[in-house]
Amino acid sequence: MSVQERKQRERAERERLIVATARELAEQQGWDAVTTRRLAERIEYSQPVLYSHFRGKREIIGAVALQGAAEMAKEVRAATSAVDGPRARVAALAYAYLDFAARNPAVYDALFQLDGGLPYAQEDTPEPLKDAFAALLETLAEVAGDGVPPGLFTEMFWASLHGLATLTRAGRLLPEDAEPRVELLVDRLAMV
């Protein structure tokens, strides 16, 4: 291995460490606790080293969002491929999405609430974000209905899931009605 290859590998490893540490800190204490100073202390590198990877917190949030998008897409696909039939797939998608949001609140915030400097729904949207949407579209396209653009239907279903995720986490919805809400969403919006 050349010196250049070793340096690139070490740089990539430092970047993974920064993102993992930021994510861990955000999940434990919230995004307000994630500062470059605190990250530098935790990873035992200087702040200039951290800044050589990310220009600031915004880019770190973006990196966590991209990682989270890839994980969410994988979980949604795993859930939908484990069941048969359109209704079961849509329900599995909904439960997987909501479960991901509940288990990873800081990552979910990085994806959908905070400014990570990432363009959404644009030509230059990063691939992990496009793929996360595609993971939803793959299942929801089959139940969009006649004359309904599958992408538009996916946006509406996703918006409903996002509303459920954020309102549940904020304590605005009764926890005992979580399953009936999903079933109603699947039956009425997806009509399967």
Side-chain angles (χ1 to χ4, degrees):
M1 174 182 300
S2 72
V3 171
Q4 183 65 22
E5 289 171 329
R6 182 180 53 84
K7 285 183 179 185
Q8 286 175 339
R9 188 183 77 230
E10 289 171 355
R11 180 173 177 75
E13 185 55 40
R14 269 194 315 273
E15 193 166 300
R16 280 191 292 277
L17 178 62
I18 293 166
V19 171
T21 303
R23 182 176 173 167
E24 179 184 319
L25 187 57
E27 291 293 1
Q28 291 171 353
Q29 299 177 31
W31 278 104
D32 287 342
V34 179
T35 64
T36 54
R37 181 176 173 203
R38 195 177 245 173
L39 284 175
E41 288 171 4
R42 284 204 174 196
I43 64 172
E44 299 178 347
Y45 283 102
S46 67
Q47 283 182 298
V49 169
L50 199 131
Y51 282 116
S52 75
H53 291 273
F54 299 98
R55 286 184 294 214
K57 183 175 175 177
R58 182 178 185 219
E59 283 189 4
I60 294 168
I61 290 169
V64 170
L66 293 176
Q67 188 180 75
E71 291 171 13
M72 187 176 71
K74 183 178 178 182
E75 289 184 24
V76 165
R77 285 187 175 109
T80 58
S81 69
V83 295
D84 291 321
R87 187 191 190 291
R89 281 190 291 279
V90 172
L93 177 150
Y95 285 115
Y97 182 98
L98 294 171
D99 181 61
F100 180 86
R103 284 184 297 103
N104 304 283
V107 173
Y108 192 82
D109 285 350
L111 268 165
F112 302 121
Q113 303 286 97
L114 301 173
D115 178 10
L118 303 173
Y120 284 75
Q122 297 176 26
E123 186 74 26
D124 59 343
T125 297
E127 230 13 78
L129 298 178
K130 288 180 181 179
D131 190 51
F133 186 78
L136 302 177
L137 180 65
E138 290 161 9
T139 294
L140 295 170
E142 69 180 302
V143 298
D146 294 337
V148 177
L152 182 61
F153 181 77
T154 300
E155 288 173 349
M156 292 303 298
F157 199 90
W158 170 33
S160 298
L161 290 174
H162 177 69
L164 289 175
T166 55
L167 290 171
T168 298
R169 189 165 116 202
R172 303 290 197 268
L173 300 175
L174 295 172
E176 60 267 20
D177 290 335
E179 189 172 331
R181 273 187 214 97
V182 171
E183 297 303 316
L184 184 61
L185 178 64
V186 171
D187 288 340
R188 296 293 174 92
L189 188 57
M191 299 200 309
V192 287

